């Protein structure tokens, strides 16, 4: 049998592709739903004093903690935690590592040992995502103005089928939507495909602005840009979003960004 020799540059290209394909974050968005001030206090103390410090001891450096911009009279309160993982193994192993962390178990005792009649939340929702190849790693916002003024915009785009979602993802990566966001300085934290969640098939991404006025200004510039007009007019990208959900968030004081 004749031996097949693969040129070195092709081997190098394949190895580079394999490495780059693997070097993409996974994200977990944990949403705590609460309906009493006591639940809010216990959960926030747990996050600030136990959970975030423990995650950092295990190599997770940039954890975002946010509250939706809702009215005070809303009966159900939410806290959303954005956790980046360097691999799926890191995500799968974190809980086991935390159970061996005595400082975590001690600092979080009120939360971790709560009884069924005094639970620290109503429900805990979890969404798992994989970063887009053109924005493979979480990028904490560079904004340093007052946190109370900042706007974190979390968007979820649902598609009719898995194949149509892939088309929308392609619009971000190959079509140039991410490049346009970067050009206009939307300060994107992440772009990712949901691989486990309750609104699939869908993608999610988070952008950040110093205030609401700046947010509105940039979105106006986005939709009026020549790049968007060309991209949105392409037939192959028509009807690839069936539903869009927008959530405006405020970072907590103990959030890493």
């Amino acid at each position: 049998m004749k031996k097949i020799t693969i040129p070195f540059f092709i081997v190098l290209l394949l190895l580079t592709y394999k490495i780059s394909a693997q070097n993409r974050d996974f994200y977990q968005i944990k949403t705590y739903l609460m309906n009493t001030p006591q639940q809010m206090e216990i959960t926030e103390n747990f996050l600030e004093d136990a959970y975030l410090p423990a995650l950092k001891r295990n190599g997770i450096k940039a954890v975002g903690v946010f509250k939706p911009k809702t009215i005070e009279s809303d009966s159900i309160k939410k806290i959303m935690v954005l956790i980046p993982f360097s691999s799926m193994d890191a995500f799968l192993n974190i809980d086991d590592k935390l159970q061996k962390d005595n400082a975590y178990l001690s600092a979080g005792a009120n939360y971790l040992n709560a009884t069924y009649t005094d639970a620290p939340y109503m429900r805990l929702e979890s969404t798992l995502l994989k970063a887009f190849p053109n924005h493979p790693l979480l990028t904490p916002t560079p904004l340093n103005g007052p946190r109370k003024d900042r706007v974190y915009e979390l968007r979820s785009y649902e598609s009719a089928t898995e194949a149509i979602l892939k088309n929308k993802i392609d619009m971000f990566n190959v079509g140039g939507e991410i490049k346009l966001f970067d050009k206009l300085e939307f300060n994107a934290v992440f772009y990712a495909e949901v691989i486990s969640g309750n609104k699939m098939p869908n993608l999610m991404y988070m952008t950040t602005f110093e205030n609401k006025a700046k947010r509105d200004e940039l979105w106006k510039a986005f939709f009026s840009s020549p790049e968007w007009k060309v991209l949105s007019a392409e037939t192959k990208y028509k009807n690839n979003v069936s539903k869009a959900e927008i959530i405006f968030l405020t970072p907590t004081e103990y959030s890493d960004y």
Side-chain angles (χ1 to χ4, degrees):
M1 180 182 293
K2 184 178 180 180
K3 184 177 181 180
I4 300 176
T5 302
I6 302 177
F8 175 75
F9 79 91
I10 293 181
V11 174
L12 182 61
L13 181 63
L14 291 172
L15 288 174
T16 301
Y17 173 79
K18 182 178 181 181
I19 292 172
S20 63
Q22 291 177 340
N23 191 28
R24 288 161 60 184
D25 277 343
F26 290 85
Y27 309 120
Q28 183 185 26
I29 298 177
K30 300 177 75 171
T31 303
Y32 297 83
L33 287 79
M34 295 151 289
N35 64 355
T36 69
Q38 292 77 15
Q39 288 180 329
M40 179 70 77
E41 180 180 3
I42 292 173
T43 297
E44 286 218 81
N45 288 341
F46 165 73
L47 293 173
E48 182 176 8
D49 299 334
Y51 193 53
L52 266 66
L55 291 178
K56 292 173 185 178
R57 286 194 294 272
N58 283 278
I60 300 173
K61 302 302 183 183
V63 181
V65 184
F66 309 95
K67 295 179 181 179
K69 289 181 176 287
T70 55
I71 60 176
E72 288 299 320
S73 60
D74 284 351
S75 59
I76 297 178
K77 309 295 185 182
K78 292 182 180 181
I79 297 177
M80 303 178 75
V81 183
L82 172 61
I83 310 167
F85 295 93
S86 59
S87 67
M88 182 59 72
D89 282 345
F91 166 73
L92 294 173
N93 294 329
I94 189 62
D95 286 341
D96 288 340
K97 291 182 178 180
L98 294 182
Q99 291 305 311
K100 299 174 184 177
D101 186 330
N102 290 329
Y104 164 77
L105 298 175
S106 176
N110 286 344
Y111 174 99
L112 296 170
N113 300 326
T115 66
Y116 79 96
T117 58
D118 195 24
Y121 50 80
M122 294 169 55
R123 284 289 84 188
L124 173 56
E125 299 174 350
S126 176
T127 301
L128 186 63
L129 310 95
K130 185 175 183 180
F132 284 2
N134 281 31
H135 193 112
L137 305 176
L138 184 142
T139 307
T141 180
L143 299 176
N144 54 21
R147 293 188 176 216
K148 64 180 178 61
D149 296 332
R150 290 187 212 166
V151 174
Y152 286 65
E153 185 168 356
L154 180 64
R155 290 193 169 214
S156 171
Y157 290 168
E158 299 174 34
S159 298
T161 69
E162 293 93 333
I164 296 174
L165 176 67
K166 296 296 184 185
N167 176 270
K168 180 58 183 176
I169 293 173
D170 183 73
M171 191 175 180
F172 273 92
N173 291 290
V174 180
E177 200 165 345
I178 289 178
K179 288 183 179 179
L180 180 54
F181 280 121
D182 289 344
K183 176 183 176 181
L184 296 175
E185 298 184 346
F186 270 66
N187 301 313
V189 175
F190 74 87
Y191 302 90
E193 177 181 1
V194 174
I195 57 178
S196 180
N198 64 346
K199 296 181 179 179
M200 299 176 68
N202 70 313
L203 64 85
M204 299 178 76
Y205 67 99
M206 177 185 283
T207 51
T208 61
F209 313 92
E210 59 188 84
N211 52 47
K212 180 64 163 52
K214 188 64 175 179
R215 180 262 178 197
D216 294 345
E217 173 190 326
L218 287 178
W219 273 112
K220 183 177 180 181
F222 178 90
F223 288 120
S224 62
S225 68
E227 295 94 333
W228 176 248
K229 289 180 179 178
V230 171
L231 184 60
S232 60
E234 291 196 32
T235 302
K236 65 180 178 179
Y237 292 135
K238 293 293 184 182
N239 302 313
N240 57 12
V241 175
S242 56
K243 181 180 178 181
E245 180 181 50
I246 302 172
I247 302 176
F248 295 112
L249 304 166
T250 299
T252 65
E253 287 302 321
Y254 54 91
S255 176
D256 288 327
Y257 47 89

